[in-house]
Amino acid sequence: MDKYLGEFYAKSGFKMGLIIKPLNQIYFASDVFDSVKHGNKKTVYVFMSIAILILIIACINFINLATARASDRSKEVGLRKVLGAVRKQLVAQFILESVLYATVACLLSIGLLQLLMPAYTNLLGYKLPSYWTNPLICVFIIGVILVVGLLAGSYPALLLSSFSPIESLKGKLKRGKGGAFFRKALVVFQFGISVLLIISVVVIMNQMRYIHNADLGFNKEQELIVKFDNLDIANHKTQFKDALLNLPAVQSVSLMSGEPGGFHDSYSFETEANAADKFLFNTEFTDFDFVKTLGLKIIAGRDFSESFQTDSAQAVLINRNAASKLGYTPEQALGKWIRNLNRDSLRRTIIGVVEDYHYVSLKDPIGPLVISPGRDKRLALIKLKTTNLSSTLDGIKKLYAAAAPDYPFEYNFLDDRFDRLYRTEARQESVLSIFSLIAIFIACLGLFGLASYTAIKRTKEIGVRKVLGSSVQNIVLLLSKDLLKPVLLGTIIAVPLGYYAMNKWLQGFAYRISFQWWMFAVAILTAVTIAMLTVGFQALKAALVNPVKSLRTE
């Protein structure tokens, strides 16, 4: 590099280097800007973590329900022990049952996956290749079945196999408070995860709404991008622009090196502000219609004008940030000289300062920008003034075909181009919403099972209480409060965790929302309301049973 670019380094004041990346690291590389599709490793890890958490919630459900109904299988355990079964055999039996359940669930999930794959493909925007013939996938699925089976089945297996045969056959098991405490701890974990996911969805939704409604500092509506991606159109770009301006539906056209949200070159500059130092600024090479076509606001000085013959070779516009970097106010920057060390042989005069606009994504801060007339134009930005897009596009297509007959006419709208910068976050919002619904559904399913079991076990107590004059409300409160306490505890623990996780996520945006108290309130209210409805339904059902029937249950 020094051998061939040493002169350039000395001239520009900056140095570049080369790095070698293994080919298998290119897809997840985040420090590159090219037209190749790249993935985000952080997103993969986030969704993998969520999938694992949901799997753990499901395992907790199995553990909770299996241990809660342990007494129902106590006679079976007692009988097997009397007939000579040792504890190891019983543990193996219960774990095998758990693995069998996991196998059936896995087969059902594969079928469900095939049914939902078209919708998922639509969400992603592209089709995933089929991996079913890959032996590693089969090994992975078998591994998941074994891990889930062991994770969900170990505790119930150890608990059930520990019963004394005499107590088991008599149906009088001595159950300490440890089991109930463990089940409640698992409910705390379940609802903690659910509330964490709901907080994530609420924050992401608000950040995406902020991005879509943010003032970008330019007009992105009705702006059409046509790239000069072949020599024919590149060689006839001026004629193409002139022809476009003759269309009644075209308001203005600007040829430029990079559209907002796209790539912008960086060059080193020497300036009047500090001739000894060199500044690295983003650069936009364009024509005189740039400000008008994008609707930028000039806060000092003037726009490029054909009335001034020196503007093409000796004038530049800068943004407010560049003026600030040079130590000027917008007014003070006017008339000062600046020179692109790699492109200009002569100094250019700053004739105007534009208000900062988001020429990069809202993930990045607005940097210093120099807008300079130049020949390096790579696209046409066409501002339309019609609602009849179909006929307008047909007209532009004909002009393109005349300029580049051997190439297909391809275009993008600027608002779509800008929205694509946040496509990953939009997908995260959609997938997280689905995951949150699944998580809270599974958690409520477990809570519903526990509420049903509690109601059945306390049937006689409920009957006695009703005979002694207890009201339906009192019984509902009695059955609900024990189960709602862990739910509330789980939501309280999830709030600081949710704040920490989403604060880290928001750090990826230079422009972001602030946390509001209601974001957490919405998550807590949603989880608690759903849990109350789940538990309350079972509690009310138990409270409304005729006390005579309740007392006859034993």
Side-chain angles (χ1 to χ4, degrees):
M1 292 290 287
D2 288 335
K3 179 180 177 182
Y4 295 102
L5 293 174
E7 187 180 347
F8 171 81
Y9 292 155
K11 185 179 176 183
S12 64
F14 296 97
K15 197 167 183 179
M16 293 181 287
L18 294 176
I19 57 170
I20 299 175
K21 275 184 183 293
L23 195 60
N24 58 6
Q25 292 181 10
I26 296 295
Y27 181 73
F28 284 118
S30 58
D31 53 349
V32 293
F33 195 98
D34 52 36
S35 58
V36 180
K37 188 174 75 175
H38 290 277
N40 188 329
K41 195 175 279 188
K42 192 188 292 183
T43 304
V44 174
Y45 287 146
V46 167
F47 286 134
M48 276 178 65
S49 304
I50 293 172
I52 291 170
L53 288 175
I54 290 178
L55 205 57
I56 291 174
I57 291 178
C59 290
I60 288 173
N61 265 3
F62 185 85
I63 294 170
N64 263 338
L65 295 176
T67 53
R69 297 182 67 86
S71 58
D72 293 346
R73 301 192 68 177
S74 61
K75 288 187 178 178
E76 175 194 344
V77 172
L79 196 58
R80 283 181 174 274
K81 283 194 170 183
V82 168
L83 292 174
V86 294
R87 191 175 182 187
K88 282 183 183 175
Q89 292 173 318
L90 291 171
V91 169
Q93 176 200 333
F94 291 125
I95 288 181
L96 198 62
E97 285 180 10
S98 175
V99 172
L100 191 61
Y101 282 128
T103 306
V104 173
C106 187
L107 293 174
L108 288 175
S109 69
I110 290 172
L112 198 60
L113 179 68
Q114 294 300 317
L115 283 175
L116 297 177
M117 188 50 82
Y120 189 61
T121 301
N122 189 41
L123 177 68
L124 285 179
Y126 56 89
K127 189 176 181 181
L128 288 174
S130 176
Y131 294 105
W132 298 115
T133 54
N134 188 340
L136 288 176
I137 294 294
C138 299
V139 173
F140 173 75
I141 291 173
I142 292 170
V144 169
I145 290 172
L146 291 176
V147 170
V148 170
L150 286 171
L151 187 67
S154 296
Y155 180 74
L158 292 172
L159 178 74
L160 289 166
S161 62
S162 67
F163 292 160
S164 158
I166 298 174
E167 290 174 351
S168 301
L169 290 172
K170 286 182 177 177
K172 294 180 179 178
L173 295 173
K174 291 180 181 177
R175 307 282 297 278
K177 292 184 179 178
F181 177 80
F182 182 67
R183 285 197 296 276
K184 287 178 181 177
L186 294 180
V187 173
V188 170
F189 187 75
Q190 279 185 316
F191 273 85
I193 293 171
S194 302
V195 173
L196 183 65
L197 290 175
I198 295 172
I199 290 173
S200 305
V201 171
V202 172
V203 173
I204 292 176
M205 283 176 68
N206 279 277
Q207 175 65 19
M208 295 307 293
R209 191 176 297 121
Y210 169 78
I211 286 172
H212 288 304
N213 297 328
D215 180 11
L216 299 175
F218 64 91
N219 184 12
K220 64 175 182 175
E221 307 299 330
Q222 301 276 67
E223 300 272 9
L224 191 74
I225 300 169
V226 178
K227 297 210 170 185
F228 302 148
D229 51 4
N230 61 76
L231 281 178
D232 282 358
I233 189 67
N235 291 335
H236 297 92
K237 53 180 177 283
T238 305
Q239 295 87 331
F240 180 58
K241 175 182 175 179
D242 293 340
L244 285 170
L245 289 172
N246 290 327
L247 292 177
V250 173
Q251 186 170 326
S252 63
V253 181
S254 177
L255 309 184
M256 59 188 72
S257 57
E259 76 281 17
F263 178 74
H264 286 72
D265 302 281
S266 292
Y267 285 99
S268 54
F269 288 84
E270 63 175 2
T271 70
E272 185 176 344
N274 190 344
D277 287 339
K278 296 178 177 59
F279 295 84
L280 188 66
F281 290 163
N282 287 128
T283 310
E284 179 77 73
F285 298 108
T286 183
D287 55 20
F288 286 6
D289 296 316
F290 181 76
V291 171
K292 181 175 66 175
T293 304
L294 273 177
L296 302 183
K297 182 181 178 183
I298 292 183
I299 54 176
R302 63 173 176 84
D303 191 6
F304 297 121
S305 172
E306 293 181 355
S307 304
F308 297 87
Q309 295 183 351
T310 56
D311 275 6
S312 295
Q314 298 177 20
V316 292
L317 299 175
I318 61 174
N319 68 349
R320 182 192 287 272
N321 189 287
S324 177
K325 292 279 183 190
L326 296 175
Y328 299 133
T329 63
E331 290 75 17
Q332 288 172 341
L334 300 178
K336 302 293 189 299
W337 62 263
I338 186 170
R339 188 170 79 89
N340 186 325
L341 292 172
N342 305 103
R343 291 296 189 101
D344 295 329
S345 56
L346 299 175
R347 295 171 177 173
R348 289 177 180 265
T349 303
I350 300 171
I351 62 165
V353 179
V354 298
E355 185 58 275
D356 285 339
Y357 69 100
H358 290 277
Y359 64 90
V360 291
S361 155
L362 269 73
K363 295 176 183 176
D364 301 312
I366 299 173
L369 179 70
V370 176
I371 303 165
S372 172
R375 289 180 297 177
D376 187 6
K377 303 182 184 83
R378 304 162 201 166
L379 61 96
L381 189 67
I382 307 164
K383 184 168 183 58
L384 307 175
K385 57 181 179 182
T386 178
T387 54
N388 190 1
L389 285 177
S390 179
S391 62
T392 305
L393 289 174
D394 286 342
I396 296 173
K397 184 178 179 180
K398 287 178 184 174
L399 297 178
Y400 186 91
D406 296 330
Y407 295 91
F409 172 58
E410 294 180 346
Y411 63 91
N412 298 105
F413 282 98
L414 185 57
D415 50 355
D416 289 341
R417 173 72 183 83
F418 220 77
D419 289 344
R420 276 207 296 273
L421 298 174
Y422 314 108
R423 187 171 287 174
T424 301
E425 286 73 22
R427 285 177 189 151
Q428 281 181 0
E429 178 188 347
S430 304
V431 176
L432 268 177
S433 301
I434 295 169
F435 278 169
S436 300
L437 287 175
I438 293 172
I440 204 155
F441 175 74
I442 295 173
C444 285
L445 212 58
L447 203 61
F448 185 81
L450 282 179
S452 305
Y453 181 76
T454 305
I456 292 169
K457 284 296 174 189
R458 299 179 75 171
T459 303
K460 191 173 182 182
E461 178 191 344
I462 293 167
V464 172
R465 284 180 180 273
K466 290 191 76 172
V467 168
L468 293 176
S470 184
S471 65
V472 172
Q473 292 88 339
N474 287 337
I475 292 172
V476 169
L477 186 64
L478 174 75
L479 295 175
S480 302
K481 66 180 183 182
D482 282 347
L483 288 172
L484 289 179
K485 280 179 188 173
V487 172
L488 285 170
L489 183 60
T491 56
I492 291 170
I493 292 173
V495 168
L497 292 176
Y499 175 84
Y500 174 78
M502 295 321 296
N503 189 43
K504 293 282 285 182
W505 183 81
L506 285 173
Q507 296 304 314
F509 293 87
Y511 302 90
R512 51 185 178 264
I513 57 170
S514 302
F515 283 106
Q516 304 291 330
W517 65 268
W518 59 264
M519 295 177 181
F520 302 98
V522 165
I524 293 171
L525 276 176
T526 304
V528 172
T529 303
I530 294 173
M532 284 179 69
L533 289 174
T534 307
V535 175
F537 174 75
Q538 275 302 320
L540 184 64
K541 189 177 166 187
L544 291 175
V545 173
N546 189 329
V548 177
K549 290 183 179 176
S550 301
L551 292 172
R552 282 179 179 170
T553 55
E554 293 187 11

